[in-house]
Amino acid sequence: MNVLLFGIAKDIVGKSQLQFSEAEKTPETVLELKEMISVSFPEFRKLSSLAVAVNSEYAEDNVSLSRNDEIAIIPPVSGG
Amino acid sequence: MDKKIIEIVDHIDTSQVFSELSDSKSGGICVFVGTVREFTQGEEVISLEFETYKKMALKEMNKIAITAIDKWQLNKVIIRHAVGVKKVEAPVVIVGASSAHRDACFEACRYLIDTLKETVPIWKKEYFENKTVWVSAHP
């Protein structure tokens, strides 16, 4: 499972994609993904907000994740 | 011709916008241009860098445009955002609406920029002399 990273999320992790290999436990829901990255990278807990996009749409915490989904971490946006 | 122009570009040319929003059914055009400000909370900004999740950003910008067209019966809408490094005074975003009467395009224009700032996945990094800051990242 690949997770795309943008903005400060990319700086926190140190790369533009996070990979969960076949051998590892992979997150099954949006909430699990948020919890797993916050454990691995506690800096995520300091952000004003943390959203996840599944197939380029904002996804609620209860949405299920599958390996074929395009998943992205969306830190607080600041366009304009 | 399509009513919407939704784009993410490297450079914004503000001189195009009148012809892009001009419409025979419109009696008014309202445009907002966001630019790079030199000082943020008393600190001098050298430049801003914008990054986007382009596929999702275009989808979200499209939703905003459709909502505005329906709500205010707009004849034309533009939402165009720049990415990359932008120096002080450079235009970074342009939104605009074209409608039969001015109230509609004024209200729509405000909605376009306010909603873009809330929902579109674009991130802005401020470069100061001795540090960089991702805007709005921390409370």
Side-chain angles (χ1 to χ4, degrees):
Chain A
M1 180 181 282
N2 277 354
V3 178
L4 305 175
L5 303 167
F6 298 95
I8 197 170
K10 193 167 68 178
D11 286 0
I12 290 172
V13 176
K15 48 189 179 181
S16 59
Q17 283 196 32
L18 191 60
Q19 270 110 25
F20 292 90
S21 70
E22 298 284 335
E24 287 175 291
K25 177 177 161 39
T26 58
E28 289 177 9
T29 64
V30 166
L31 183 62
E32 257 186 60
L33 171 62
K34 287 181 184 175
E35 285 170 349
M36 284 171 75
I37 62 163
S38 300
V39 168
S40 305
F41 305 94
E43 287 291 310
F44 278 112
R45 296 189 200 280
K46 297 181 186 166
L47 301 182
S48 322
S49 67
L50 188 62
V52 168
V54 178
N55 301 320
S56 58
E57 297 281 350
Y58 284 106
E60 300 289 330
D61 282 352
N62 60 1
V63 169
S64 300
L65 303 178
S66 88
R67 282 184 184 279
N68 300 326
D69 289 329
E70 180 171 300
I71 301 163
I73 300 293
I74 309 291
V77 299
S78 51
Chain B
M1 204 183 124
D2 198 4
K3 285 185 166 192
K4 302 175 264 136
I5 298 173
I6 305 292
E7 283 179 351
I8 290 175
V9 296
D10 292 328
H11 171 75
I12 288 178
D13 178 357
T14 54
S15 69
Q16 296 171 355
V17 74
F18 175 74
S19 58
E20 287 170 330
L21 290 176
S22 181
D23 190 282
S24 60
K25 296 182 293 304
S26 291
I29 290 173
C30 195
V31 173
F32 172 84
V33 182
T35 58
V36 180
R37 189 176 52 236
E38 189 174 19
F39 284 90
T40 286
Q41 289 160 352
E43 286 193 87
E44 188 176 359
V45 174
I46 311 295
S47 59
L48 296 181
E49 184 172 6
F50 291 87
E51 178 183 318
T52 186
Y53 177 14
K54 190 170 184 180
K55 187 204 287 191
M56 181 177 175
L58 290 170
K59 265 194 192 178
E60 292 295 323
M61 287 156 74
N62 198 50
K63 285 180 199 169
I64 295 169
I66 289 170
T67 303
I69 288 169
D70 287 352
K71 182 165 181 185
W72 287 284
Q73 278 93 53
L74 305 175
N75 297 318
K76 296 256 173 72
V77 165
I78 186 167
I79 307 178
R80 180 180 285 138
H81 205 296
V83 289
V85 176
K86 302 294 157 202
K87 298 289 185 194
V88 172
E89 287 191 47
V92 298
V93 62
I94 188 162
V95 300
S98 170
S99 55
H101 301 283
R102 70 181 182 284
D103 282 353
C105 65
F106 268 112
E107 284 176 28
C109 202
R110 171 118 219 166
Y111 170 83
L112 295 174
I113 188 64
D114 288 356
T115 315
L116 177 149
K117 281 175 165 280
E118 280 172 23
T119 64
V120 178
I122 295 175
W123 297 273
K124 172 165 52 195
K125 193 185 217 177
E126 292 170 330
Y127 284 77
F128 297 97
E129 178 135 9
N130 299 312
K131 63 174 179 180
T132 62
V133 175
W134 285 105
V135 177
S136 306
H138 295 104

